[in-house]
Amino acid sequence: MMDEPKVTRGKVQPSLHFANVKTGRLQPDIWDELEAGMWRDYSVKNRLQNDAIGEVKQWEWKPEFPRIYTVNEGFEWDFATGRLVEKLYTPHEVEADMNSFLATAERFFTQFAGHRIGVHLSGGLDSGLIICLLRHFGIPFVPIGLATRRFEFRTERRIQEILAAYGSDARLIDFADYPFFCNLDKKPKHQVPDSNIMSLDATRALANAFVKNGCDVVLSGQGGDTLFVDAVPSVSERSFNIGNEFTNPWSRDFIYGPRGIKLVSMFSDPDIIDQITNLRLGQREDPLKLWARHFFRELLPAELSEFSYCADFFGLSAEGLQLATPQVKELFEEAHEYMPAEPLFSPKGIKEFMRTDILTLEYNTYCDYCTKISIACWLHALFRKDD
């Protein structure tokens, strides 16, 4: 038996809050409660149910701690009704054409005058459009991305090479050096389990490369999928949870913010949202983003405007999971010491979990599998003494 475990306090996450219905107030953190032993009351069952519901419908989530609800960015707690409420942005009806979009994009970039701008070089349409717009306006930028020689990324890699030439000091970091789920025993202390732990090392390497190149602003294409894929029957019928869909709070809180970098998605800007929503008025769901490829064809390289493709990250993720298997087993065994009554971490539960054939997982079972790992990782981080 281990000694009585004691939580080692971590940092406050600026994007995260907690609604305490016992006290009737919103808290910036729950470190006091965790230190007092609230971790013992953590509901693995509710966490797995919440994960199955998904990030979009968080108002349906059950509390993972008794009478304390997690309030993520893009949501607020209504104490009068005892419910989580979305903070939605409804676009305005505006005149929209290529000229107005370009003027809006140029105004967006103007706020970063005097800063050294970095851009995520993913090889996809969304970040690719940002790179092409910066090039169009003659704004210097540093494109840095994660790349792999795996066969399924051959198209993405070629586009990364093309777009890298549009900026300066470009760099492609090899995913193989930062596998998914590596170093699970060294993740930052966090107050609730989070599946972002799977790619944290790669994200950190990316941010460090931007720091090395003097960037203090990094632009991402987060939210582009929502704007360019979803149907737009009318402007008034569309609304967006910018905080939940268009930002990456975990990366801001743990990676970019502490390094003095402002991480911003161009697509989170309300004026950009207004323009694209009005430009796509009447468009049906467009999973291949054919409208965007056609509309921005004069700005984009032919490889992005005339062709469509989808990068599949499952191979990378599955490979990382297989490499991490011995450490996952150790973390589960440690978690059993903290939560001896939890079936997931019992000797039988661990044996069943380790028998899982990762390559047979479908999307939902894969998410469930990763969530279980994130819980064990969270417990380990809570009690680690080194940070």
Coordinates of all heavy atoms in Angstrom, one line a residue, residues 114-186:
G114 N 3.7 45.1 -36.2 CA 4.8 45.2 -35.2 C 5.1 43.9 -34.5 O 6.0 43.8 -33.7
H115 N 4.3 42.9 -34.8 CA 4.6 41.5 -34.2 C 5.2 40.6 -35.2 O 5.0 40.8 -36.4 CB 3.3 40.9 -33.7 CG 2.7 41.7 -32.5 ND1 2.9 41.4 -31.2 CD2 1.8 42.7 -32.5 CE1 2.3 42.2 -30.4 NE2 1.6 43.0 -31.2
R116 N 5.9 39.6 -34.8 CA 6.4 38.6 -35.7 C 5.4 37.5 -35.7 O 5.1 36.8 -34.6 CB 7.7 38.1 -35.2 CG 8.4 37.1 -36.2 CD 9.9 37.1 -36.0 NE 10.6 36.0 -36.7 CZ 10.9 36.0 -38.0 NH1 10.6 37.0 -38.7 NH2 11.5 34.9 -38.5
I117 N 4.8 37.2 -36.8 CA 3.7 36.3 -37.0 C 4.1 34.9 -37.4 O 4.9 34.8 -38.3 CB 2.6 36.8 -38.0 CG1 2.1 38.2 -37.6 CG2 1.5 35.8 -38.2 CD1 1.2 38.9 -38.6
G118 N 3.7 33.9 -36.7 CA 3.9 32.6 -37.1 C 2.5 32.0 -37.6 O 1.5 32.5 -37.2
V119 N 2.6 31.0 -38.4 CA 1.3 30.3 -38.9 C 1.5 28.8 -38.8 O 2.6 28.3 -39.2 CB 1.0 30.8 -40.3 CG1 -0.4 30.2 -40.7 CG2 1.0 32.3 -40.5
H120 N 0.5 28.1 -38.4 CA 0.5 26.7 -38.4 C 0.5 26.2 -39.8 O -0.4 26.5 -40.6 CB -0.7 26.1 -37.7 CG -0.6 26.2 -36.2 ND1 -1.7 26.0 -35.4 CD2 0.4 26.4 -35.4 CE1 -1.3 26.1 -34.1 NE2 -0.1 26.4 -34.1
L121 N 1.5 25.5 -40.2 CA 1.7 24.9 -41.6 C 1.2 23.5 -41.6 O 2.0 22.5 -41.5 CB 3.1 25.0 -42.0 CG 3.5 24.5 -43.4 CD1 2.7 25.2 -44.5 CD2 5.0 24.7 -43.6
S122 N -0.1 23.3 -41.6 CA -0.7 22.0 -41.5 C -0.8 21.3 -42.9 O -0.9 20.1 -43.0 CB -2.1 22.1 -40.9 OG -3.0 22.7 -41.8
G123 N -0.9 22.1 -44.0 CA -1.1 21.5 -45.3 C -2.5 21.4 -45.6 O -2.9 20.9 -46.7
G124 N -3.4 21.9 -44.8 CA -4.9 21.9 -45.0 C -5.3 23.2 -45.6 O -4.6 24.2 -45.7
L125 N -6.6 23.2 -46.1 CA -7.1 24.4 -46.7 C -7.2 25.6 -45.8 O -6.9 26.7 -46.2 CB -8.5 24.1 -47.2 CG -9.3 25.3 -47.8 CD1 -8.6 25.8 -49.1 CD2 -10.8 24.9 -48.1
D126 N -7.6 25.4 -44.5 CA -7.9 26.5 -43.6 C -6.7 27.3 -43.3 O -6.6 28.5 -43.5 CB -8.6 26.0 -42.4 CG -9.8 25.1 -42.7 OD1 -10.5 25.4 -43.7 OD2 -10.2 24.2 -41.9
S127 N -5.7 26.6 -42.8 CA -4.4 27.3 -42.5 C -3.7 27.8 -43.8 O -3.0 28.8 -43.8 CB -3.5 26.5 -41.6 OG -3.1 25.3 -42.3
G128 N -3.9 27.0 -44.9 CA -3.4 27.3 -46.2 C -3.9 28.7 -46.7 O -3.2 29.5 -47.2
L129 N -5.2 28.9 -46.4 CA -5.8 30.1 -46.9 C -5.2 31.3 -46.1 O -4.9 32.4 -46.7 CB -7.3 30.1 -46.6 CG -8.1 31.4 -46.9 CD1 -7.9 31.8 -48.4 CD2 -9.6 31.2 -46.6
I130 N -5.0 31.1 -44.8 CA -4.3 32.2 -44.0 C -3.0 32.5 -44.6 O -2.6 33.7 -44.7 CB -4.2 31.8 -42.5 CG1 -5.6 31.6 -41.9 CG2 -3.4 32.8 -41.7 CD1 -5.6 30.9 -40.6
I131 N -2.2 31.5 -44.9 CA -0.9 31.7 -45.4 C -0.9 32.5 -46.8 O -0.2 33.4 -47.0 CB -0.1 30.4 -45.6 CG1 0.3 29.8 -44.3 CG2 1.0 30.5 -46.6 CD1 0.8 28.4 -44.3
C132 N -1.9 32.1 -47.6 CA -2.0 32.7 -48.9 C -2.5 34.2 -48.8 O -2.1 35.0 -49.6 CB -3.0 31.9 -49.8 SG -2.3 30.3 -50.3
L133 N -3.4 34.5 -47.8 CA -3.8 35.8 -47.6 C -2.6 36.7 -47.1 O -2.5 37.8 -47.6 CB -4.9 35.9 -46.5 CG -6.3 35.4 -47.0 CD1 -7.2 35.2 -45.8 CD2 -6.9 36.4 -48.0
L134 N -1.8 36.2 -46.2 CA -0.6 37.0 -45.7 C 0.3 37.2 -46.9 O 0.8 38.3 -47.0 CB 0.1 36.2 -44.6 CG -0.6 36.1 -43.3 CD1 0.0 35.0 -42.4 CD2 -0.6 37.4 -42.6
R135 N 0.5 36.2 -47.7 CA 1.3 36.4 -48.9 C 0.7 37.5 -49.8 O 1.4 38.4 -50.4 CB 1.5 35.1 -49.6 CG 2.4 35.2 -50.9 CD 2.2 33.9 -51.7 NE 3.2 33.8 -52.8 CZ 3.0 33.1 -53.9 NH1 1.8 32.5 -54.1 NH2 3.9 33.0 -54.8
H136 N -0.6 37.4 -50.0 CA -1.3 38.4 -50.9 C -1.1 39.8 -50.4 O -0.9 40.8 -51.2 CB -2.8 38.1 -50.9 CG -3.6 39.0 -51.7 ND1 -3.7 39.1 -53.0 CD2 -4.5 40.0 -51.2 CE1 -4.5 40.1 -53.4 NE2 -5.0 40.6 -52.3
F137 N -1.1 40.0 -49.1 CA -1.0 41.4 -48.5 C 0.5 41.8 -48.3 O 0.7 42.9 -47.9 CB -1.7 41.5 -47.2 CG -3.2 41.3 -47.3 CD1 -3.9 40.3 -46.6 CD2 -4.0 42.1 -48.2 CE1 -5.3 40.2 -46.7 CE2 -5.4 41.9 -48.3 CZ -6.0 41.0 -47.5
G138 N 1.4 40.9 -48.6 CA 2.8 41.2 -48.4 C 3.2 41.3 -46.9 O 4.1 42.0 -46.6
I139 N 2.5 40.5 -46.1 CA 2.8 40.5 -44.6 C 3.8 39.4 -44.3 O 3.5 38.2 -44.6 CB 1.5 40.4 -43.8 CG1 0.5 41.5 -44.1 CG2 1.8 40.3 -42.3 CD1 -0.8 41.4 -43.5
P140 N 4.9 39.7 -43.7 CA 5.9 38.6 -43.4 C 5.3 37.7 -42.4 O 4.6 38.1 -41.5 CB 7.1 39.4 -42.8 CG 6.9 40.8 -43.3 CD 5.5 41.0 -43.4
F141 N 5.7 36.4 -42.5 CA 5.3 35.4 -41.5 C 6.2 34.2 -41.6 O 6.9 34.0 -42.5 CB 3.8 35.0 -41.8 CG 3.7 34.2 -43.1 CD1 3.7 32.8 -43.2 CD2 3.5 34.9 -44.3 CE1 3.6 32.2 -44.4 CE2 3.3 34.2 -45.5 CZ 3.4 32.9 -45.6
V142 N 6.1 33.4 -40.5 CA 6.9 32.2 -40.3 C 6.0 31.0 -40.3 O 5.3 30.8 -39.4 CB 7.8 32.3 -39.0 CG1 8.6 31.0 -38.9 CG2 8.7 33.5 -39.0
P143 N 6.1 30.2 -41.4 CA 5.2 28.9 -41.4 C 6.0 27.7 -40.8 O 7.1 27.4 -41.2 CB 5.0 28.7 -42.9 CG 6.2 29.3 -43.6 CD 6.8 30.4 -42.6
I144 N 5.4 27.2 -39.7 CA 6.0 26.0 -39.1 C 4.9 24.9 -38.9 O 3.8 25.3 -38.4 CB 6.7 26.4 -37.7 CG1 7.8 27.4 -37.9 CG2 7.3 25.1 -37.1 CD1 8.4 27.9 -36.7
G145 N 5.2 23.7 -39.2 CA 4.2 22.7 -39.0 C 4.8 21.3 -38.7 O 6.1 21.2 -38.6
L146 N 4.0 20.4 -38.4 CA 4.3 19.0 -38.1 C 4.1 18.2 -39.4 O 3.1 18.3 -40.0 CB 3.5 18.5 -37.0 CG 3.8 19.1 -35.6 CD1 2.6 18.9 -34.7 CD2 5.0 18.5 -35.0
A147 N 5.1 17.4 -39.7 CA 5.0 16.6 -41.0 C 5.4 15.2 -40.7 O 6.0 14.8 -39.7 CB 5.9 17.2 -42.0
T148 N 5.1 14.3 -41.6 CA 5.4 12.9 -41.5 C 5.7 12.3 -42.9 O 5.1 12.8 -43.9 CB 4.3 12.1 -40.8 OG1 4.6 10.7 -40.9 CG2 3.0 12.3 -41.4
R149 N 6.5 11.3 -43.0 CA 6.8 10.6 -44.2 C 5.8 9.5 -44.5 O 6.0 8.8 -45.5 CB 8.2 10.1 -44.2 CG 9.3 11.1 -44.0 CD 9.3 12.3 -44.9 NE 9.5 11.9 -46.3 CZ 9.5 12.8 -47.3 NH1 9.4 14.1 -47.1 NH2 9.7 12.4 -48.5
R150 N 4.9 9.3 -43.6 CA 3.9 8.2 -43.8 C 3.2 8.4 -45.1 O 2.9 9.5 -45.6 CB 2.9 8.2 -42.7 CG 3.5 7.7 -41.3 CD 2.4 7.7 -40.2 NE 1.4 6.7 -40.5 CZ 1.3 5.5 -39.9 NH1 2.3 5.2 -39.0 NH2 0.3 4.7 -40.2
F151 N 2.9 7.3 -45.8 CA 2.3 7.3 -47.1 C 0.9 8.1 -47.1 O 0.7 8.8 -48.1 CB 2.0 5.8 -47.6 CG 1.4 5.7 -48.9 CD1 2.1 5.9 -50.1 CD2 0.0 5.4 -49.0 CE1 1.5 5.8 -51.3 CE2 -0.6 5.4 -50.3 CZ 0.1 5.6 -51.4
E152 N 0.1 7.9 -46.1 CA -1.2 8.5 -46.1 C -1.1 10.1 -46.1 O -2.1 10.7 -46.3 CB -2.1 8.0 -45.0 CG -1.7 8.2 -43.6 CD -0.9 7.1 -43.0 OE1 -0.1 6.5 -43.8 OE2 -1.0 6.8 -41.8
F153 N 0.0 10.6 -45.8 CA 0.2 12.1 -45.7 C 1.0 12.6 -46.9 O 1.5 13.8 -46.9 CB 0.9 12.5 -44.4 CG 0.1 12.3 -43.2 CD1 0.0 11.1 -42.5 CD2 -0.7 13.4 -42.7 CE1 -0.8 11.0 -41.4 CE2 -1.5 13.3 -41.6 CZ -1.6 12.1 -40.9
R154 N 1.1 11.9 -48.0 CA 1.9 12.3 -49.1 C 1.4 13.6 -49.7 O 2.2 14.4 -50.1 CB 2.0 11.2 -50.1 CG 0.6 10.8 -50.7 CD 0.7 9.4 -51.4 NE -0.6 9.0 -52.0 CZ -1.6 8.6 -51.3 NH1 -1.6 8.4 -50.0 NH2 -2.8 8.2 -52.0
T155 N 0.0 13.7 -49.8 CA -0.5 14.9 -50.4 C -0.3 16.1 -49.5 O 0.1 17.2 -49.9 CB -2.0 14.7 -50.7 OG1 -2.2 13.6 -51.5 CG2 -2.6 15.9 -51.4
E156 N -0.7 15.9 -48.2 CA -0.5 17.0 -47.3 C 1.0 17.5 -47.2 O 1.2 18.7 -47.2 CB -0.9 16.5 -45.9 CG -0.8 17.6 -44.8 CD -1.2 17.0 -43.4 OE1 -0.6 16.2 -42.9 OE2 -2.3 17.5 -43.0
R157 N 1.9 16.6 -47.2 CA 3.3 16.9 -47.2 C 3.7 17.8 -48.4 O 4.5 18.7 -48.2 CB 4.2 15.6 -47.1 CG 5.6 15.9 -46.8 CD 6.3 14.6 -46.5 NE 6.2 13.6 -47.5 CZ 5.5 12.4 -47.4 NH1 4.9 12.2 -46.3 NH2 5.5 11.6 -48.4
R158 N 3.2 17.4 -49.5 CA 3.6 18.2 -50.8 C 3.0 19.6 -50.6 O 3.7 20.6 -51.0 CB 3.0 17.5 -52.0 CG 3.2 18.3 -53.3 CD 4.6 18.6 -53.5 NE 4.8 19.4 -54.7 CZ 5.8 20.3 -54.8 NH1 6.7 20.5 -53.9 NH2 5.9 21.1 -55.9
I159 N 1.8 19.7 -50.1 CA 1.2 21.1 -50.0 C 2.0 21.9 -48.9 O 2.2 23.1 -49.1 CB -0.3 21.0 -49.6 CG1 -1.0 20.4 -50.8 CG2 -0.8 22.3 -49.3 CD1 -2.5 20.1 -50.6
Q160 N 2.4 21.2 -47.9 CA 3.2 21.9 -46.9 C 4.5 22.5 -47.5 O 4.9 23.6 -47.2 CB 3.6 20.9 -45.7 CG 2.5 20.6 -44.8 CD 2.9 19.6 -43.7 OE1 3.4 18.5 -44.0 NE2 2.7 20.0 -42.5
E161 N 5.1 21.7 -48.4 CA 6.4 22.1 -49.0 C 6.1 23.4 -49.9 O 6.9 24.3 -50.0 CB 6.9 21.0 -49.9 CG 7.5 19.9 -49.0 CD 7.8 18.6 -49.8 OE1 7.5 18.6 -51.0 OE2 8.3 17.6 -49.2
I162 N 5.0 23.4 -50.6 CA 4.6 24.5 -51.5 C 4.3 25.7 -50.6 O 4.9 26.8 -50.9 CB 3.4 24.2 -52.3 CG1 3.7 23.0 -53.3 CG2 2.8 25.4 -53.0 CD1 2.5 22.5 -54.0
L163 N 3.5 25.6 -49.6 CA 3.2 26.8 -48.8 C 4.4 27.3 -47.9 O 4.4 28.5 -47.6 CB 2.0 26.4 -47.8 CG 0.7 26.1 -48.5 CD1 -0.3 25.6 -47.5 CD2 0.2 27.2 -49.3
A164 N 5.3 26.4 -47.6 CA 6.5 26.8 -46.8 C 7.3 27.9 -47.6 O 7.8 28.8 -47.0 CB 7.3 25.6 -46.5
A165 N 7.3 27.8 -48.9 CA 8.0 28.7 -49.7 C 7.4 30.1 -49.7 O 8.1 31.1 -50.1 CB 8.2 28.2 -51.1
Y166 N 6.2 30.2 -49.3 CA 5.5 31.5 -49.3 C 6.0 32.4 -48.1 O 5.8 33.6 -48.1 CB 4.0 31.4 -49.2 CG 3.4 30.7 -50.4 CD1 2.0 30.5 -50.4 CD2 4.1 30.4 -51.5 CE1 1.4 29.9 -51.5 CE2 3.5 29.8 -52.6 CZ 2.1 29.6 -52.6 OH 1.5 29.0 -53.7
G167 N 6.6 31.8 -47.1 CA 7.0 32.6 -45.9 C 8.5 32.5 -45.7 O 9.2 32.2 -46.7
S168 N 9.0 32.9 -44.5 CA 10.4 32.8 -44.3 C 10.7 32.0 -43.1 O 9.8 31.8 -42.2 CB 10.9 34.3 -44.0 OG 10.3 34.8 -42.9
D169 N 11.9 31.4 -43.0 CA 12.3 30.6 -41.9 C 11.4 29.4 -41.6 O 11.1 29.0 -40.5 CB 12.4 31.4 -40.6 CG 13.4 32.6 -40.7 OD1 14.5 32.3 -41.2 OD2 13.1 33.7 -40.4
A170 N 10.8 28.9 -42.7 CA 9.9 27.8 -42.6 C 10.6 26.5 -42.0 O 11.8 26.3 -42.2 CB 9.3 27.5 -43.9
R171 N 9.8 25.8 -41.3 CA 10.3 24.5 -40.7 C 9.2 23.5 -40.6 O 8.1 23.8 -40.3 CB 10.9 24.8 -39.3 CG 11.5 23.5 -38.7 CD 12.1 23.8 -37.3 NE 12.5 22.5 -36.7 CZ 12.8 22.4 -35.4 NH1 12.7 23.5 -34.6 NH2 13.1 21.2 -34.9
L172 N 9.6 22.2 -41.0 CA 8.7 21.1 -40.8 C 9.3 20.2 -39.7 O 10.4 19.7 -39.9 CB 8.4 20.4 -42.1 CG 7.6 21.1 -43.1 CD1 7.6 20.4 -44.5 CD2 6.2 21.3 -42.6
I173 N 8.5 19.9 -38.7 CA 9.0 19.1 -37.6 C 8.5 17.7 -37.8 O 7.3 17.5 -38.0 CB 8.5 19.7 -36.2 CG1 9.1 21.1 -36.0 CG2 8.9 18.8 -35.1 CD1 8.4 21.8 -34.9
D174 N 9.3 16.7 -37.6 CA 8.9 15.3 -37.8 C 8.1 14.8 -36.7 O 8.5 14.7 -35.5 CB 10.2 14.4 -38.0 CG 9.9 13.1 -38.6 OD1 8.7 12.6 -38.5 OD2 10.8 12.4 -39.1
F175 N 6.9 14.3 -37.0 CA 5.9 13.8 -36.0 C 6.6 12.6 -35.3 O 6.3 12.3 -34.2 CB 4.7 13.3 -36.7 CG 3.5 14.1 -36.4 CD1 2.7 14.7 -37.5 CD2 3.0 14.4 -35.1 CE1 1.6 15.4 -37.2 CE2 1.9 15.1 -34.9 CZ 1.2 15.6 -35.9
A176 N 7.5 11.8 -36.0 CA 8.1 10.6 -35.5 C 8.9 10.9 -34.2 O 9.1 10.1 -33.4 CB 8.9 9.9 -36.5
D177 N 9.4 12.2 -34.1 CA 10.1 12.6 -32.9 C 9.2 12.8 -31.7 O 9.8 12.9 -30.6 CB 11.0 13.8 -33.2 CG 12.1 13.5 -34.3 OD1 12.5 12.4 -34.4 OD2 12.4 14.5 -35.0
Y178 N 8.0 13.0 -31.9 CA 7.0 13.3 -30.9 C 5.7 12.5 -31.0 O 4.7 13.0 -31.4 CB 6.7 14.8 -30.9 CG 7.9 15.7 -30.8 CD1 8.5 16.2 -32.0 CD2 8.5 16.0 -29.6 CE1 9.7 16.9 -32.0 CE2 9.7 16.8 -29.6 CZ 10.2 17.2 -30.8 OH 11.4 18.0 -30.7
P179 N 5.8 11.2 -30.8 CA 4.7 10.3 -31.1 C 3.5 10.7 -30.2 O 3.6 11.2 -29.1 CB 5.2 8.9 -30.7 CG 6.7 9.0 -30.7 CD 7.0 10.4 -30.3
F180 N 2.3 10.4 -30.7 CA 1.1 10.5 -29.9 C 1.2 9.7 -28.7 O 1.8 8.6 -28.7 CB -0.1 10.1 -30.7 CG -0.7 11.1 -31.7 CD1 0.1 11.5 -32.8 CD2 -1.9 11.7 -31.5 CE1 -0.4 12.4 -33.7 CE2 -2.4 12.6 -32.4 CZ -1.7 13.0 -33.5
F181 N 0.8 10.2 -27.6 CA 0.7 9.5 -26.3 C 2.1 9.2 -25.7 O 2.3 8.4 -24.8 CB 0.0 8.2 -26.4 CG -1.5 8.4 -26.7 CD1 -1.9 8.3 -28.1 CD2 -2.4 8.7 -25.8 CE1 -3.2 8.4 -28.4 CE2 -3.8 8.9 -26.1 CZ -4.2 8.7 -27.4
C182 N 3.1 10.0 -26.1 CA 4.4 9.7 -25.5 C 4.5 10.5 -24.2 O 3.8 11.5 -24.0 CB 5.6 10.2 -26.5 SG 5.6 11.9 -26.9
N183 N 5.4 10.1 -23.3 CA 5.7 10.7 -22.1 C 4.4 11.0 -21.3 O 4.2 12.1 -20.7 CB 6.4 12.0 -22.3 CG 7.8 11.8 -22.9 OD1 8.5 10.9 -22.5 ND2 8.1 12.6 -23.9
L184 N 3.5 10.0 -21.2 CA 2.3 10.2 -20.4 C 2.5 10.5 -18.9 O 1.6 11.1 -18.3 CB 1.4 9.0 -20.6 CG 0.8 8.7 -21.9 CD1 0.1 7.4 -22.0 CD2 -0.2 9.8 -22.3
D185 N 3.7 10.2 -18.4 CA 3.9 10.4 -17.0 C 4.5 11.8 -16.8 O 4.8 12.2 -15.6 CB 4.9 9.4 -16.5 CG 6.3 9.4 -17.2 OD1 6.3 9.9 -18.4 OD2 7.3 8.9 -16.7
K186 N 4.6 12.7 -17.8 CA 5.2 14.0 -17.7 C 4.2 15.1 -18.1 O 4.7 16.2 -18.4 CB 6.5 14.1 -18.4 CG 7.6 13.1 -17.9 CD 8.9 13.3 -18.7 CE 10.0 12.4 -18.1 NZ 9.7 11.0 -18.1

